[in-house]
Amino acid sequence: AQQERMKTCNTKAADKKGDERKTFMKECLSNEKKTYDNKMGACNTKSKGMKGEEHKKFMSDCMKATA
């Protein structure tokens, strides 16, 4: 997940340099993490009652789905 966030933010920061890039990356990674955490929470809520492989597969599919 961290690598995906880095990849996304690096793409968005392509035209920035130096301190501007550093500040942008920090904010971008923070925002991307919040989005990921929110998505994780929503998927966990939807998976209530599931166990084992069923839960694992659901979470994988849910996290891959576009928000």
Side-chain angles (χ1 to χ4, degrees), residues 25-62:
M25 288 296 287
K26 183 177 178 183
E27 290 174 6
C28 181
L29 289 169
S30 178
N31 290 337
E32 289 291 319
K33 174 138 179 43
K34 287 176 191 169
T35 300
Y36 175 84
D37 290 346
N38 288 340
K39 191 173 186 180
M40 177 70 86
C43 290
N44 269 325
T45 300
K46 292 176 186 175
S47 71
K48 290 273 191 244
M50 293 181 191
K51 295 187 180 188
E53 287 299 314
E54 178 187 24
H55 180 263
K56 190 175 177 181
K57 180 171 180 355
F58 175 83
M59 288 299 289
S60 177
D61 291 345
C62 184

PDB file of all heavy atoms in Angstrom, residues 25-62:
ATOM      1  N   MET A  25       5.039  16.194  -1.387  1.00  0.00           N
ATOM      2  CA  MET A  25       5.067  14.749  -1.144  1.00  0.00           C
ATOM      3  C   MET A  25       4.554  14.416   0.259  1.00  0.00           C
ATOM      4  O   MET A  25       3.789  13.472   0.441  1.00  0.00           O
ATOM      5  CB  MET A  25       6.474  14.185  -1.343  1.00  0.00           C
ATOM      6  CG  MET A  25       6.916  14.136  -2.785  1.00  0.00           C
ATOM      7  SD  MET A  25       5.924  13.038  -3.806  1.00  0.00           S
ATOM      8  CE  MET A  25       6.493  11.446  -3.216  1.00  0.00           C
ATOM      9  N   LYS A  26       4.966  15.198   1.246  1.00  0.00           N
ATOM     10  CA  LYS A  26       4.525  14.969   2.619  1.00  0.00           C
ATOM     11  C   LYS A  26       3.000  15.070   2.713  1.00  0.00           C
ATOM     12  O   LYS A  26       2.342  14.205   3.289  1.00  0.00           O
ATOM     13  CB  LYS A  26       5.193  15.981   3.551  1.00  0.00           C
ATOM     14  CG  LYS A  26       4.863  15.779   4.997  1.00  0.00           C
ATOM     15  CD  LYS A  26       5.604  16.769   5.869  1.00  0.00           C
ATOM     16  CE  LYS A  26       5.229  16.590   7.320  1.00  0.00           C
ATOM     17  NZ  LYS A  26       5.865  17.565   8.182  1.00  0.00           N
ATOM     18  N   GLU A  27       2.443  16.124   2.143  1.00  0.00           N
ATOM     19  CA  GLU A  27       0.997  16.325   2.183  1.00  0.00           C
ATOM     20  C   GLU A  27       0.262  15.267   1.367  1.00  0.00           C
ATOM     21  O   GLU A  27      -0.761  14.740   1.799  1.00  0.00           O
ATOM     22  CB  GLU A  27       0.645  17.722   1.667  1.00  0.00           C
ATOM     23  CG  GLU A  27       1.076  18.817   2.614  1.00  0.00           C
ATOM     24  CD  GLU A  27       0.866  20.210   2.040  1.00  0.00           C
ATOM     25  OE1 GLU A  27       0.272  20.352   0.945  1.00  0.00           O
ATOM     26  OE2 GLU A  27       1.315  21.167   2.694  1.00  0.00           O
ATOM     27  N   CYS A  28       0.793  14.957   0.205  1.00  0.00           N
ATOM     28  CA  CYS A  28       0.169  13.968  -0.666  1.00  0.00           C
ATOM     29  C   CYS A  28       0.124  12.598   0.009  1.00  0.00           C
ATOM     30  O   CYS A  28      -0.908  11.934   0.025  1.00  0.00           O
ATOM     31  CB  CYS A  28       0.914  13.884  -1.997  1.00  0.00           C
ATOM     32  SG  CYS A  28       0.202  12.716  -3.172  1.00  0.00           S
ATOM     33  N   LEU A  29       1.246  12.172   0.582  1.00  0.00           N
ATOM     34  CA  LEU A  29       1.297  10.868   1.238  1.00  0.00           C
ATOM     35  C   LEU A  29       0.346  10.812   2.424  1.00  0.00           C
ATOM     36  O   LEU A  29      -0.311   9.798   2.653  1.00  0.00           O
ATOM     37  CB  LEU A  29       2.725  10.540   1.671  1.00  0.00           C
ATOM     38  CG  LEU A  29       3.678  10.235   0.523  1.00  0.00           C
ATOM     39  CD1 LEU A  29       5.115  10.181   1.020  1.00  0.00           C
ATOM     40  CD2 LEU A  29       3.308   8.938  -0.172  1.00  0.00           C
ATOM     41  N   SER A  30       0.246  11.893   3.150  1.00  0.00           N
ATOM     42  CA  SER A  30      -0.676  11.963   4.282  1.00  0.00           C
ATOM     43  C   SER A  30      -2.123  11.818   3.806  1.00  0.00           C
ATOM     44  O   SER A  30      -2.910  11.057   4.379  1.00  0.00           O
ATOM     45  CB  SER A  30      -0.492  13.276   5.026  1.00  0.00           C
ATOM     46  OG  SER A  30      -1.402  13.383   6.083  1.00  0.00           O
ATOM     47  N   ASN A  31      -2.469  12.543   2.744  1.00  0.00           N
ATOM     48  CA  ASN A  31      -3.823  12.468   2.192  1.00  0.00           C
ATOM     49  C   ASN A  31      -4.124  11.084   1.622  1.00  0.00           C
ATOM     50  O   ASN A  31      -5.228  10.567   1.799  1.00  0.00           O
ATOM     51  CB  ASN A  31      -4.029  13.540   1.124  1.00  0.00           C
ATOM     52  CG  ASN A  31      -4.071  14.926   1.712  1.00  0.00           C
ATOM     53  OD1 ASN A  31      -4.373  15.111   2.889  1.00  0.00           O
ATOM     54  ND2 ASN A  31      -3.760  15.919   0.898  1.00  0.00           N
ATOM     55  N   GLU A  32      -3.154  10.504   0.932  1.00  0.00           N
ATOM     56  CA  GLU A  32      -3.346   9.165   0.366  1.00  0.00           C
ATOM     57  C   GLU A  32      -3.552   8.134   1.485  1.00  0.00           C
ATOM     58  O   GLU A  32      -4.354   7.230   1.364  1.00  0.00           O
ATOM     59  CB  GLU A  32      -2.151   8.763  -0.501  1.00  0.00           C
ATOM     60  CG  GLU A  32      -2.051   9.530  -1.805  1.00  0.00           C
ATOM     61  CD  GLU A  32      -3.146   9.190  -2.797  1.00  0.00           C
ATOM     62  OE1 GLU A  32      -3.495   8.000  -2.925  1.00  0.00           O
ATOM     63  OE2 GLU A  32      -3.664  10.113  -3.438  1.00  0.00           O
ATOM     64  N   LYS A  33      -2.822   8.279   2.591  1.00  0.00           N
ATOM     65  CA  LYS A  33      -2.966   7.356   3.721  1.00  0.00           C
ATOM     66  C   LYS A  33      -4.360   7.472   4.330  1.00  0.00           C
ATOM     67  O   LYS A  33      -4.991   6.472   4.646  1.00  0.00           O
ATOM     68  CB  LYS A  33      -1.905   7.620   4.789  1.00  0.00           C
ATOM     69  CG  LYS A  33      -2.103   6.776   6.030  1.00  0.00           C
ATOM     70  CD  LYS A  33      -0.829   6.218   6.566  1.00  0.00           C
ATOM     71  CE  LYS A  33      -0.967   5.399   7.821  1.00  0.00           C
ATOM     72  NZ  LYS A  33      -2.037   4.473   7.932  1.00  0.00           N
ATOM     73  N   LYS A  34      -4.854   8.699   4.465  1.00  0.00           N
ATOM     74  CA  LYS A  34      -6.200   8.893   5.009  1.00  0.00           C
ATOM     75  C   LYS A  34      -7.237   8.215   4.117  1.00  0.00           C
ATOM     76  O   LYS A  34      -8.157   7.570   4.604  1.00  0.00           O
ATOM     77  CB  LYS A  34      -6.514  10.386   5.141  1.00  0.00           C
ATOM     78  CG  LYS A  34      -5.780  11.055   6.275  1.00  0.00           C
ATOM     79  CD  LYS A  34      -6.061  12.551   6.304  1.00  0.00           C
ATOM     80  CE  LYS A  34      -5.125  13.256   7.259  1.00  0.00           C
ATOM     81  NZ  LYS A  34      -5.179  14.701   7.120  1.00  0.00           N
ATOM     82  N   THR A  35      -7.074   8.360   2.818  1.00  0.00           N
ATOM     83  CA  THR A  35      -7.990   7.736   1.871  1.00  0.00           C
ATOM     84  C   THR A  35      -7.947   6.215   2.016  1.00  0.00           C
ATOM     85  O   THR A  35      -8.982   5.553   2.068  1.00  0.00           O
ATOM     86  CB  THR A  35      -7.626   8.134   0.417  1.00  0.00           C
ATOM     87  OG1 THR A  35      -7.730   9.549   0.304  1.00  0.00           O
ATOM     88  CG2 THR A  35      -8.543   7.476  -0.584  1.00  0.00           C
ATOM     89  N   TYR A  36      -6.730   5.666   2.111  1.00  0.00           N
ATOM     90  CA  TYR A  36      -6.553   4.222   2.278  1.00  0.00           C
ATOM     91  C   TYR A  36      -7.199   3.750   3.583  1.00  0.00           C
ATOM     92  O   TYR A  36      -7.925   2.756   3.594  1.00  0.00           O
ATOM     93  CB  TYR A  36      -5.055   3.885   2.274  1.00  0.00           C
ATOM     94  CG  TYR A  36      -4.757   2.432   2.550  1.00  0.00           C
ATOM     95  CD1 TYR A  36      -4.804   1.487   1.525  1.00  0.00           C
ATOM     96  CD2 TYR A  36      -4.433   1.996   3.834  1.00  0.00           C
ATOM     97  CE1 TYR A  36      -4.539   0.153   1.773  1.00  0.00           C
ATOM     98  CE2 TYR A  36      -4.162   0.667   4.086  1.00  0.00           C
ATOM     99  CZ  TYR A  36      -4.213  -0.254   3.065  1.00  0.00           C
ATOM    100  OH  TYR A  36      -3.951  -1.568   3.316  1.00  0.00           O
ATOM    101  N   ASP A  37      -6.955   4.470   4.672  1.00  0.00           N
ATOM    102  CA  ASP A  37      -7.515   4.093   5.968  1.00  0.00           C
ATOM    103  C   ASP A  37      -9.038   4.138   5.950  1.00  0.00           C
ATOM    104  O   ASP A  37      -9.696   3.261   6.517  1.00  0.00           O
ATOM    105  CB  ASP A  37      -6.970   4.992   7.087  1.00  0.00           C
ATOM    106  CG  ASP A  37      -5.503   4.732   7.385  1.00  0.00           C
ATOM    107  OD1 ASP A  37      -4.965   3.690   6.928  1.00  0.00           O
ATOM    108  OD2 ASP A  37      -4.893   5.567   8.070  1.00  0.00           O
ATOM    109  N   ASN A  38      -9.603   5.152   5.301  1.00  0.00           N
ATOM    110  CA  ASN A  38     -11.061   5.247   5.197  1.00  0.00           C
ATOM    111  C   ASN A  38     -11.627   4.074   4.407  1.00  0.00           C
ATOM    112  O   ASN A  38     -12.656   3.506   4.770  1.00  0.00           O
ATOM    113  CB  ASN A  38     -11.474   6.566   4.537  1.00  0.00           C
ATOM    114  CG  ASN A  38     -11.268   7.755   5.434  1.00  0.00           C
ATOM    115  OD1 ASN A  38     -11.164   7.629   6.646  1.00  0.00           O
ATOM    116  ND2 ASN A  38     -11.192   8.931   4.845  1.00  0.00           N
ATOM    117  N   LYS A  39     -10.947   3.724   3.338  1.00  0.00           N
ATOM    118  CA  LYS A  39     -11.391   2.608   2.503  1.00  0.00           C
ATOM    119  C   LYS A  39     -11.305   1.298   3.295  1.00  0.00           C
ATOM    120  O   LYS A  39     -12.215   0.475   3.248  1.00  0.00           O
ATOM    121  CB  LYS A  39     -10.536   2.534   1.242  1.00  0.00           C
ATOM    122  CG  LYS A  39     -11.065   1.598   0.195  1.00  0.00           C
ATOM    123  CD  LYS A  39     -10.246   1.727  -1.076  1.00  0.00           C
ATOM    124  CE  LYS A  39     -10.830   0.910  -2.191  1.00  0.00           C
ATOM    125  NZ  LYS A  39     -10.067   1.011  -3.421  1.00  0.00           N
ATOM    126  N   MET A  40     -10.210   1.129   4.042  1.00  0.00           N
ATOM    127  CA  MET A  40     -10.033  -0.067   4.859  1.00  0.00           C
ATOM    128  C   MET A  40     -11.164  -0.176   5.874  1.00  0.00           C
ATOM    129  O   MET A  40     -11.749  -1.243   6.072  1.00  0.00           O
ATOM    130  CB  MET A  40      -8.678  -0.027   5.576  1.00  0.00           C
ATOM    131  CG  MET A  40      -8.429  -1.199   6.500  1.00  0.00           C
ATOM    132  SD  MET A  40      -8.184  -2.757   5.648  1.00  0.00           S
ATOM    133  CE  MET A  40      -6.447  -2.635   5.333  1.00  0.00           C
ATOM    134  N   GLY A  41     -11.499   0.930   6.517  1.00  0.00           N
ATOM    135  CA  GLY A  41     -12.581   0.945   7.503  1.00  0.00           C
ATOM    136  C   GLY A  41     -13.918   0.576   6.878  1.00  0.00           C
ATOM    137  O   GLY A  41     -14.689  -0.201   7.454  1.00  0.00           O
ATOM    138  N   ALA A  42     -14.193   1.128   5.707  1.00  0.00           N
ATOM    139  CA  ALA A  42     -15.449   0.829   5.020  1.00  0.00           C
ATOM    140  C   ALA A  42     -15.518  -0.646   4.635  1.00  0.00           C
ATOM    141  O   ALA A  42     -16.554  -1.297   4.813  1.00  0.00           O
ATOM    142  CB  ALA A  42     -15.592   1.707   3.775  1.00  0.00           C
ATOM    143  N   CYS A  43     -14.413  -1.195   4.147  1.00  0.00           N
ATOM    144  CA  CYS A  43     -14.389  -2.615   3.776  1.00  0.00           C
ATOM    145  C   CYS A  43     -14.561  -3.499   5.009  1.00  0.00           C
ATOM    146  O   CYS A  43     -15.265  -4.499   4.960  1.00  0.00           O
ATOM    147  CB  CYS A  43     -13.082  -2.957   3.049  1.00  0.00           C
ATOM    148  SG  CYS A  43     -12.963  -2.240   1.391  1.00  0.00           S
ATOM    149  N   ASN A  44     -13.932  -3.117   6.119  1.00  0.00           N
ATOM    150  CA  ASN A  44     -14.083  -3.886   7.352  1.00  0.00           C
ATOM    151  C   ASN A  44     -15.529  -3.900   7.818  1.00  0.00           C
ATOM    152  O   ASN A  44     -16.044  -4.934   8.258  1.00  0.00           O
ATOM    153  CB  ASN A  44     -13.183  -3.324   8.463  1.00  0.00           C
ATOM    154  CG  ASN A  44     -11.833  -3.974   8.495  1.00  0.00           C
ATOM    155  OD1 ASN A  44     -11.687  -5.152   8.222  1.00  0.00           O
ATOM    156  ND2 ASN A  44     -10.831  -3.202   8.836  1.00  0.00           N
ATOM    157  N   THR A  45     -16.194  -2.751   7.717  1.00  0.00           N
ATOM    158  CA  THR A  45     -17.598  -2.665   8.124  1.00  0.00           C
ATOM    159  C   THR A  45     -18.468  -3.583   7.264  1.00  0.00           C
ATOM    160  O   THR A  45     -19.326  -4.297   7.785  1.00  0.00           O
ATOM    161  CB  THR A  45     -18.095  -1.205   8.019  1.00  0.00           C
ATOM    162  OG1 THR A  45     -17.296  -0.393   8.875  1.00  0.00           O
ATOM    163  CG2 THR A  45     -19.542  -1.080   8.418  1.00  0.00           C
ATOM    164  N   LYS A  46     -18.215  -3.577   5.968  1.00  0.00           N
ATOM    165  CA  LYS A  46     -19.001  -4.412   5.048  1.00  0.00           C
ATOM    166  C   LYS A  46     -18.748  -5.898   5.249  1.00  0.00           C
ATOM    167  O   LYS A  46     -19.577  -6.721   4.883  1.00  0.00           O
ATOM    168  CB  LYS A  46     -18.676  -4.049   3.595  1.00  0.00           C
ATOM    169  CG  LYS A  46     -19.153  -2.678   3.191  1.00  0.00           C
ATOM    170  CD  LYS A  46     -18.709  -2.374   1.770  1.00  0.00           C
ATOM    171  CE  LYS A  46     -19.033  -0.960   1.363  1.00  0.00           C
ATOM    172  NZ  LYS A  46     -18.497  -0.628   0.034  1.00  0.00           N
ATOM    173  N   SER A  47     -17.599  -6.253   5.825  1.00  0.00           N
ATOM    174  CA  SER A  47     -17.244  -7.670   5.951  1.00  0.00           C
ATOM    175  C   SER A  47     -17.646  -8.266   7.308  1.00  0.00           C
ATOM    176  O   SER A  47     -17.250  -9.380   7.625  1.00  0.00           O
ATOM    177  CB  SER A  47     -15.743  -7.855   5.734  1.00  0.00           C
ATOM    178  OG  SER A  47     -15.021  -7.316   6.834  1.00  0.00           O
ATOM    179  N   LYS A  48     -18.428  -7.544   8.091  1.00  0.00           N
ATOM    180  CA  LYS A  48     -18.844  -8.050   9.405  1.00  0.00           C
ATOM    181  C   LYS A  48     -19.472  -9.434   9.266  1.00  0.00           C
ATOM    182  O   LYS A  48     -20.282  -9.672   8.383  1.00  0.00           O
ATOM    183  CB  LYS A  48     -19.871  -7.110  10.050  1.00  0.00           C
ATOM    184  CG  LYS A  48     -19.304  -5.801  10.493  1.00  0.00           C
ATOM    185  CD  LYS A  48     -18.754  -5.896  11.888  1.00  0.00           C
ATOM    186  CE  LYS A  48     -18.436  -4.532  12.438  1.00  0.00           C
ATOM    187  NZ  LYS A  48     -17.085  -4.275  12.722  1.00  0.00           N
ATOM    188  N   GLY A  49     -19.065 -10.331  10.117  1.00  0.00           N
ATOM    189  CA  GLY A  49     -19.615 -11.683  10.121  1.00  0.00           C
ATOM    190  C   GLY A  49     -18.851 -12.667   9.254  1.00  0.00           C
ATOM    191  O   GLY A  49     -19.036 -13.867   9.368  1.00  0.00           O
ATOM    192  N   MET A  50     -17.998 -12.170   8.386  1.00  0.00           N
ATOM    193  CA  MET A  50     -17.213 -13.064   7.529  1.00  0.00           C
ATOM    194  C   MET A  50     -15.980 -13.528   8.292  1.00  0.00           C
ATOM    195  O   MET A  50     -15.440 -12.804   9.112  1.00  0.00           O
ATOM    196  CB  MET A  50     -16.761 -12.343   6.259  1.00  0.00           C
ATOM    197  CG  MET A  50     -17.857 -11.967   5.336  1.00  0.00           C
ATOM    198  SD  MET A  50     -17.160 -11.141   3.875  1.00  0.00           S
ATOM    199  CE  MET A  50     -18.642 -10.510   3.140  1.00  0.00           C
ATOM    200  N   LYS A  51     -15.537 -14.742   7.983  1.00  0.00           N
ATOM    201  CA  LYS A  51     -14.350 -15.273   8.651  1.00  0.00           C
ATOM    202  C   LYS A  51     -13.464 -15.997   7.648  1.00  0.00           C
ATOM    203  O   LYS A  51     -13.906 -16.389   6.580  1.00  0.00           O
ATOM    204  CB  LYS A  51     -14.755 -16.242   9.761  1.00  0.00           C
ATOM    205  CG  LYS A  51     -15.506 -15.559  10.867  1.00  0.00           C
ATOM    206  CD  LYS A  51     -15.764 -16.462  12.029  1.00  0.00           C
ATOM    207  CE  LYS A  51     -16.520 -15.630  13.043  1.00  0.00           C
ATOM    208  NZ  LYS A  51     -16.723 -16.203  14.285  1.00  0.00           N
ATOM    209  N   GLY A  52     -12.221 -16.177   8.038  1.00  0.00           N
ATOM    210  CA  GLY A  52     -11.273 -16.977   7.267  1.00  0.00           C
ATOM    211  C   GLY A  52     -11.088 -16.518   5.840  1.00  0.00           C
ATOM    212  O   GLY A  52     -10.938 -15.336   5.557  1.00  0.00           O
ATOM    213  N   GLU A  53     -11.106 -17.492   4.944  1.00  0.00           N
ATOM    214  CA  GLU A  53     -10.858 -17.219   3.522  1.00  0.00           C
ATOM    215  C   GLU A  53     -11.905 -16.297   2.920  1.00  0.00           C
ATOM    216  O   GLU A  53     -11.596 -15.477   2.065  1.00  0.00           O
ATOM    217  CB  GLU A  53     -10.787 -18.535   2.723  1.00  0.00           C
ATOM    218  CG  GLU A  53      -9.522 -19.323   2.963  1.00  0.00           C
ATOM    219  CD  GLU A  53      -8.273 -18.546   2.559  1.00  0.00           C
ATOM    220  OE1 GLU A  53      -8.239 -17.936   1.470  1.00  0.00           O
ATOM    221  OE2 GLU A  53      -7.311 -18.546   3.352  1.00  0.00           O
ATOM    222  N   GLU A  54     -13.155 -16.446   3.347  1.00  0.00           N
ATOM    223  CA  GLU A  54     -14.219 -15.581   2.828  1.00  0.00           C
ATOM    224  C   GLU A  54     -13.887 -14.115   3.143  1.00  0.00           C
ATOM    225  O   GLU A  54     -13.973 -13.240   2.272  1.00  0.00           O
ATOM    226  CB  GLU A  54     -15.556 -15.958   3.466  1.00  0.00           C
ATOM    227  CG  GLU A  54     -16.709 -15.072   3.013  1.00  0.00           C
ATOM    228  CD  GLU A  54     -17.999 -15.327   3.773  1.00  0.00           C
ATOM    229  OE1 GLU A  54     -17.960 -15.824   4.916  1.00  0.00           O
ATOM    230  OE2 GLU A  54     -19.058 -14.994   3.201  1.00  0.00           O
ATOM    231  N   HIS A  55     -13.470 -13.845   4.378  1.00  0.00           N
ATOM    232  CA  HIS A  55     -13.117 -12.480   4.792  1.00  0.00           C
ATOM    233  C   HIS A  55     -11.896 -11.985   4.025  1.00  0.00           C
ATOM    234  O   HIS A  55     -11.878 -10.860   3.526  1.00  0.00           O
ATOM    235  CB  HIS A  55     -12.857 -12.434   6.305  1.00  0.00           C
ATOM    236  CG  HIS A  55     -12.498 -11.079   6.800  1.00  0.00           C
ATOM    237  ND1 HIS A  55     -11.198 -10.677   6.992  1.00  0.00           N
ATOM    238  CD2 HIS A  55     -13.273 -10.016   7.129  1.00  0.00           C
ATOM    239  CE1 HIS A  55     -11.190  -9.437   7.415  1.00  0.00           C
ATOM    240  NE2 HIS A  55     -12.431  -9.010   7.518  1.00  0.00           N
ATOM    241  N   LYS A  56     -10.897 -12.835   3.923  1.00  0.00           N
ATOM    242  CA  LYS A  56      -9.659 -12.466   3.239  1.00  0.00           C
ATOM    243  C   LYS A  56      -9.929 -12.098   1.774  1.00  0.00           C
ATOM    244  O   LYS A  56      -9.445 -11.080   1.281  1.00  0.00           O
ATOM    245  CB  LYS A  56      -8.686 -13.643   3.326  1.00  0.00           C
ATOM    246  CG  LYS A  56      -7.298 -13.347   2.880  1.00  0.00           C
ATOM    247  CD  LYS A  56      -6.419 -14.565   3.144  1.00  0.00           C
ATOM    248  CE  LYS A  56      -5.018 -14.363   2.666  1.00  0.00           C
ATOM    249  NZ  LYS A  56      -4.183 -15.541   2.895  1.00  0.00           N
ATOM    250  N   LYS A  57     -10.706 -12.914   1.079  1.00  0.00           N
ATOM    251  CA  LYS A  57     -11.019 -12.653  -0.328  1.00  0.00           C
ATOM    252  C   LYS A  57     -11.858 -11.383  -0.465  1.00  0.00           C
ATOM    253  O   LYS A  57     -11.593 -10.558  -1.336  1.00  0.00           O
ATOM    254  CB  LYS A  57     -11.753 -13.832  -0.953  1.00  0.00           C
ATOM    255  CG  LYS A  57     -12.081 -13.579  -2.422  1.00  0.00           C
ATOM    256  CD  LYS A  57     -12.609 -14.787  -3.110  1.00  0.00           C
ATOM    257  CE  LYS A  57     -12.943 -14.609  -4.562  1.00  0.00           C
ATOM    258  NZ  LYS A  57     -12.845 -13.319  -5.184  1.00  0.00           N
ATOM    259  N   PHE A  58     -12.859 -11.222   0.401  1.00  0.00           N
ATOM    260  CA  PHE A  58     -13.687 -10.032   0.339  1.00  0.00           C
ATOM    261  C   PHE A  58     -12.849  -8.767   0.515  1.00  0.00           C
ATOM    262  O   PHE A  58     -12.990  -7.798  -0.225  1.00  0.00           O
ATOM    263  CB  PHE A  58     -14.807 -10.068   1.392  1.00  0.00           C
ATOM    264  CG  PHE A  58     -15.606  -8.801   1.416  1.00  0.00           C
ATOM    265  CD1 PHE A  58     -16.638  -8.609   0.506  1.00  0.00           C
ATOM    266  CD2 PHE A  58     -15.306  -7.775   2.291  1.00  0.00           C
ATOM    267  CE1 PHE A  58     -17.360  -7.415   0.492  1.00  0.00           C
ATOM    268  CE2 PHE A  58     -16.004  -6.584   2.278  1.00  0.00           C
ATOM    269  CZ  PHE A  58     -17.041  -6.409   1.383  1.00  0.00           C
ATOM    270  N   MET A  59     -11.969  -8.766   1.526  1.00  0.00           N
ATOM    271  CA  MET A  59     -11.152  -7.590   1.794  1.00  0.00           C
ATOM    272  C   MET A  59     -10.226  -7.282   0.616  1.00  0.00           C
ATOM    273  O   MET A  59     -10.071  -6.118   0.234  1.00  0.00           O
ATOM    274  CB  MET A  59     -10.325  -7.788   3.081  1.00  0.00           C
ATOM    275  CG  MET A  59     -11.153  -7.743   4.340  1.00  0.00           C
ATOM    276  SD  MET A  59     -12.016  -6.182   4.609  1.00  0.00           S
ATOM    277  CE  MET A  59     -10.633  -5.122   5.012  1.00  0.00           C
ATOM    278  N   SER A  60      -9.660  -8.305   0.041  1.00  0.00           N
ATOM    279  CA  SER A  60      -8.777  -8.111  -1.113  1.00  0.00           C
ATOM    280  C   SER A  60      -9.549  -7.462  -2.261  1.00  0.00           C
ATOM    281  O   SER A  60      -9.107  -6.466  -2.839  1.00  0.00           O
ATOM    282  CB  SER A  60      -8.188  -9.456  -1.546  1.00  0.00           C
ATOM    283  OG  SER A  60      -7.405  -9.285  -2.699  1.00  0.00           O
ATOM    284  N   ASP A  61     -10.712  -8.011  -2.576  1.00  0.00           N
ATOM    285  CA  ASP A  61     -11.532  -7.482  -3.667  1.00  0.00           C
ATOM    286  C   ASP A  61     -12.017  -6.067  -3.355  1.00  0.00           C
ATOM    287  O   ASP A  61     -12.012  -5.197  -4.212  1.00  0.00           O
ATOM    288  CB  ASP A  61     -12.723  -8.394  -3.938  1.00  0.00           C
ATOM    289  CG  ASP A  61     -12.330  -9.730  -4.540  1.00  0.00           C
ATOM    290  OD1 ASP A  61     -11.180  -9.872  -5.015  1.00  0.00           O
ATOM    291  OD2 ASP A  61     -13.159 -10.660  -4.505  1.00  0.00           O
ATOM    292  N   CYS A  62     -12.429  -5.850  -2.119  1.00  0.00           N
ATOM    293  CA  CYS A  62     -12.943  -4.552  -1.706  1.00  0.00           C
ATOM    294  C   CYS A  62     -11.861  -3.483  -1.797  1.00  0.00           C
ATOM    295  O   CYS A  62     -12.120  -2.378  -2.286  1.00  0.00           O
ATOM    296  CB  CYS A  62     -13.485  -4.649  -0.275  1.00  0.00           C
ATOM    297  SG  CYS A  62     -14.252  -3.137   0.336  1.00  0.00           S
TER     298      CYS A  62
END
